[in-house]
Amino acid sequence: INVQAHDEILGYTLRTITGQVVMDQKVEGLERISFRVADLPSGIYMLSVQTAEEQVTQRVMISH
């Protein structure tokens, strides 16, 4: 997954649709991040990206 923001990204969290955290990463000073999801089962996840200005959450579908 590739994520780009207009502000510096402070971290991201990927949760299953039932709320289980499968990834939780803090980062600093990046406006673009990438991470692999190939090891995760297919399904719908919620991705939250935190910047200094806001937190944005979007639904992500992973299929193999």
Side-chain angles (χ1 to χ4, degrees):
I1 292 180
N2 298 308
V3 178
Q4 185 170 346
H6 296 289
D7 298 314
E8 290 183 5
I9 297 171
L10 302 177
Y12 64 89
T13 303
L14 185 66
R15 292 182 171 85
T16 64
I17 199 72
T18 60
Q20 178 184 2
V21 175
V22 292
M23 288 184 184
D24 188 33
Q25 183 71 40
K26 303 295 181 212
V27 296
E28 281 190 42
L30 302 175
E31 291 183 1
R32 179 180 296 189
I33 56 173
S34 298
F35 53 95
R36 293 182 44 84
V37 294
D39 295 336
L40 296 176
S42 295
I44 297 174
Y45 295 81
M46 300 303 290
L47 175 62
S48 297
V49 177
Q50 179 71 43
T51 69
E53 299 295 321
E54 64 184 338
Q55 178 173 321
V56 176
T57 302
Q58 291 201 336
R59 190 180 334 197
V60 176
M61 180 184 288
I62 297 174
S63 62
H64 302 288

